[in-house]
Amino acid sequence: MINIELLVSKGLRIQEDAQDLLEKCDSGSLKFLLMSDGFVTLADVERAISLQKQELIQKPLENKRTFRITNWEPSSTKKGKVDSFLSYFRNRYKKLKRLLRQRISDFPVLDSFDKAKNLGGKLRVIGMVTECKATRNGNMLITLEDESGELLVVVSKDSKAFEKSKHVLHDEVLAIDGRMSNGFLMASELVYPDLPIKQEVKTSEEDAAIMYLSDLHVGSRFFMEREFRSMLAWLNCRGEGKELAEKIRYIIIAGDVVDGVGIYPKQETELVITDVFKQYSFFDELMCEIPDRIEIFVAPGNHDAVRRAEPQPMLPEEFFTRRMHRLTNPGWVEIEGLKHLVYHGTSMDSIIASLEHCDYVHPDKTMIELLKRRHLSPIYGENLIAPGDEDHLVIDNEPDIVHMGHLHKNAYSIYRGVVLLNSGTFQEQTEFQLRMGHVPSPCLVPVFECKTGKVQHVHFHK
Ligand SMILES: [Fe+2]
Ligand SMILES: [Fe+2]
C-alpha cells in the first residue's frame, strides 16, 4: 500500500483497477504519476512504467556521449474499435486542453460549453473542431465539441479572427474567445496551444555535431548510392571538410530508410532490391561503414516494415548488426541536453492539402502549423491512426530541435527559438514526383553544431 498512500498523500485519487499494478511499480515510476492531474487511471500507471523503463541514460565514458531516448510504449495502442477511438480522442482533448489552459486569458476560461451557454460577457471556451464552413453571407461557422456537447461559433468576416479561421482544421483543439449571443458564440479571437517563445536557440557545452538524415529509400532504383557512399567517406574523414566531419558524434534518421515492397501500385518496376529483408540488410551494410564513434538513432517512416498507422513502433532489432538506437515514430531523444522531436512527417500531406499557404517547396511552413497545434497529425482520416488510451501524437513536451522528413525537400527554420529541420532525401526524383511536380533536394545533409547552434548543409551531389 506504500505507493497508493504516497500518491493519496499528494492529493491524487487512484482508480480501482489501477491499484494492483500500482503496487507492483517501483518507486522510479511514481514521479511520472505525480504529474497526473488529479485522477490516476490504469493507463496512467502503464505509461509511467514504460516511461521509466525507457528513460535510459547512457554515458559511455570514453567520449562523453550523452543521450536519453523516450519512445512511446507499443502496448498502449489498441485495435481500431469505436471505444478505442473514443478514449483516444478524449485523451487528445484532455492533453491539449491542459496546454491551452496554460495560455494567458483576459476572460474567464470555462470548463464546459454548458456553463458558457448561460453566461453574459466575454469568455474563453476550449473545444475540438468537428466542422468549419463558410456561411452564405461570408462569415465562418465553426462547430466545436467538448465533453458536455456542441457549441456553434460564428467568426464574422469583419472580425480580426476571420483570417485565422480560414486555417482551422478538422479535429484540432483550440481555444476561442468571444461573447454568447442567441445561443451562438460570436468569436473575437482564436488561440492555439502553440509553443512558448524562447529568445534563443538552445546550445550545449559540448563541441559535438549532430547530422540529420531521412528518406534514403534503399532498394529503390532511384536511391543515390554513389552520393551516399561519398557521404560515408566524408564521415570517415576522407575528403574536404574534415573538421566538421570529425565533430559528428550523432546521426538521426527520420524514416523511409528503405523503399519497402508493395507500398504503392507497380512499385516493383522501380525496385532494384525486391525483397524487403535484403533492402534492410543492404541498409545495415551501409550503416556498418559509419565510424563507431557515431551513435545512430533510427525511426521508421511510411515506407518501412512496421505497421503503417501512427504512432509507429520501432524497427525490429534483428534488422541491424551495427549498434543502432531505435526510435518509435514519433520519438523523442535528448542529445547533449537538446530535446529532439523526431517524426517522419507523413501527416504533412494532409496539412498541405488543407492549408493554402503550405506547399511541397517549404516543409518548414507545414512543420510550424503542426507545432502551433501541438499535434503531429491533427486531421483524422487522412493519415492512419492506431488508437489507444493515450494520443502519442500530441506534442506534450517542448522540443529544442524538431526533425522531420517525408517531403524529400530540405528546410531549415527557427520557430519560437526551436530549430526546425527537414532532412531531404538520398533518392532522385521519382516518376510519381515528376508527374506531381515535386522537385526533391537530394544529398543535402543538415548538421547542427551543439556549441554554437549553427546549422550547416553539406552537399554530396556529384
Ligand atoms: Fe520518403
Ligand atoms: Fe515518407
Side-chain angles (χ1 to χ4, degrees):
M1 295 298 280
I2 299 165
N3 288 347
I4 295 176
E5 279 168 17
L6 181 85
L7 294 182
V8 170
S9 73
K10 302 284 180 193
L12 294 168
R13 286 186 297 147
I14 323 289
Q15 200 175 47
E16 217 178 317
D17 61 0
Q19 293 184 0
D20 278 353
L21 186 60
L22 181 59
E23 274 315 303
K24 290 177 201 148
C25 277
D26 72 44
S27 54
S29 310
L30 294 185
K31 68 174 184 230
F32 297 106
L33 292 168
L34 290 170
M35 292 185 269
S36 303
D37 63 346
F39 199 67
V40 175
T41 64
L42 180 61
D44 292 331
V45 181
E46 285 169 346
R47 180 168 176 264
I49 293 171
S50 89
L51 283 173
Q52 200 231 345
K53 235 192 284 173
Q54 292 177 44
E55 198 181 68
L56 306 167
I57 298 178
Q58 306 190 17
K59 290 184 181 177
L61 291 173
E62 70 279 13
N63 51 10
K64 292 197 277 175
R65 281 166 291 191
T66 308
F67 58 86
R68 183 171 67 174
I69 294 171
T70 313
N71 283 326
W72 64 270
E73 175 59 43
S75 66
S76 63
T77 59
K78 294 177 177 167
K79 289 210 170 100
K81 292 183 180 158
V82 176
D83 278 0
S84 321
F85 277 105
L86 261 177
S87 48
Y88 169 82
F89 278 107
R90 277 198 190 119
N91 183 261
R92 176 189 294 197
Y93 178 69
K94 183 178 154 191
K95 281 182 167 194
L96 290 168
K97 183 176 180 182
R98 198 182 300 168
L99 290 172
L100 279 158
R101 287 205 73 114
Q102 289 164 12
R103 299 290 311 262
I104 293 165
S105 173
D106 293 334
F107 319 114
V109 186
L110 298 191
D111 255 343
S112 78
F113 296 160
D114 277 352
K115 291 180 189 163
K117 284 170 185 164
N118 307 316
L119 274 185
K122 277 211 164 182
L123 49 92
R124 174 174 289 184
V125 295
I126 297 171
M128 186 177 281
V129 175
T130 55
E131 202 178 7
C132 181
K133 58 181 182 190
T135 64
R136 255 182 292 170
N137 44 13
N139 300 324
M140 204 67 87
L141 184 67
I142 302 171
T143 311
L144 275 190
E145 203 176 271
D146 77 355
E147 281 141 344
S148 72
E150 275 190 356
L151 182 68
L152 291 174
V153 180
V154 177
V155 190
S156 153
K157 57 181 185 287
D158 305 318
S159 141
K160 72 169 186 173
F162 187 69
E163 272 309 302
K164 271 193 189 172
S165 73
K166 292 179 185 168
H167 298 168
V168 168
L169 299 175
H170 281 184
D171 314 307
E172 71 171 313
V173 177
L174 76 174
I176 302 187
D177 293 341
R179 197 185 290 275
M180 291 303 298
S181 169
N182 298 324
F184 291 87
L185 180 73
M186 305 306 291
S188 55
E189 181 62 299
L190 309 184
V191 181
Y192 289 107
D194 220 326
L195 289 170
I197 299 171
K198 274 197 294 175
Q199 295 306 323
E200 282 174 1
V201 166
K202 192 169 175 198
T203 54
S204 86
E205 295 283 294
E206 207 53 36
D207 194 15
I210 309 166
M211 193 167 106
Y212 301 86
L213 295 172
S214 65
D215 301 274
L216 314 185
H217 291 268
V218 171
S220 157
R221 72 178 158 96
F222 300 105
F223 168 52
M224 300 169 82
E225 184 182 339
R226 196 168 55 126
E227 288 79 358
F228 195 77
R229 286 193 183 279
S230 82
M231 185 202 75
L232 295 174
W234 181 75
L235 286 171
N236 281 286
C237 301
R238 296 196 293 268
E240 285 171 26
K242 204 175 156 191
E243 279 150 42
L244 185 61
E246 272 172 354
K247 273 192 202 174
I248 293 175
R249 286 196 213 151
Y250 308 93
I251 295 177
I252 306 179
I253 310 174
D256 283 2
V257 302
V258 300
D259 205 48
V261 173
I263 307 292
Y264 55 89
K266 297 192 182 153
Q267 188 190 12
E268 60 282 2
T269 61
E270 300 194 336
L271 293 177
V272 283
I273 307 174
T274 52
D275 177 327
V276 75
F277 295 104
K278 288 183 181 155
Q279 293 179 0
Y280 279 102
S281 147
F282 185 35
F283 170 69
D284 180 51
E285 220 174 275
L286 295 166
M287 293 297 105
C288 286
E289 290 185 34
I290 294 177
D292 282 348
R293 68 167 203 280
I294 299 177
E295 303 293 343
I296 309 176
F297 303 88
V298 63
N302 58 311
H303 278 252
D304 284 294
V306 290
R307 71 157 186 231
R308 169 64 186 78
E310 293 176 353
Q312 291 182 294
M314 295 180 276
L315 286 166
E317 200 175 359
E318 51 273 25
F319 283 177
F320 309 108
T321 59
R322 194 212 189 269
R323 185 180 72 247
M324 302 283 273
H325 306 288
R326 296 169 303 131
L327 303 179
T328 55
N329 176 40
W332 288 80
V333 55
E334 192 174 318
I335 298 176
E336 302 292 352
L338 305 167
K339 270 183 270 164
H340 284 72
L341 167 57
V342 182
Y343 172 57
H344 178 60
T346 315
S347 74
M348 289 200 281
D349 292 320
S350 65
I351 307 294
I352 291 170
S354 305
L355 298 179
E356 242 175 38
H357 67 287
C358 292
D359 56 36
Y360 285 91
V361 183
H362 307 98
D364 47 326
K365 289 186 185 173
T366 308
M367 291 167 78
I368 290 171
E369 294 301 326
L370 298 176
L371 291 171
K372 266 191 200 170
R373 291 164 175 84
R374 299 288 292 263
H375 200 282
L376 292 167
S377 186
I379 309 171
Y380 172 70
E382 308 258 338
N383 186 31
L384 291 175
I385 297 290
D389 290 338
E390 185 173 357
D391 183 355
H392 299 285
L393 296 160
V394 173
I395 307 169
D396 35 18
N397 211 329
E398 287 158 18
D400 300 308
I401 299 178
V402 179
H403 174 203
M404 295 191 196
H406 185 63
L407 298 184
H408 294 211
K409 189 82 176 173
N410 282 78
Y412 162 48
S413 179
I414 294 170
Y415 177 68
R416 298 190 159 215
V418 176
V419 175
L420 310 185
L421 292 168
N422 192 296
S423 46
T425 180
F426 266 88
Q427 190 186 35
E428 272 178 293
Q429 190 181 41
T430 62
E431 279 156 23
F432 173 76
Q433 289 166 339
L434 183 69
R435 280 198 303 279
M436 301 301 287
H438 299 166
V439 184
S441 55
C443 316
L444 193 56
V445 179
V447 175
F448 180 85
E449 291 189 76
C450 300
K451 202 168 184 176
T452 60
K454 276 190 193 147
V455 171
Q456 298 195 41
H457 284 86
V458 189
H459 216 302
F460 295 98
H461 210 296
K462 297 280 175 192

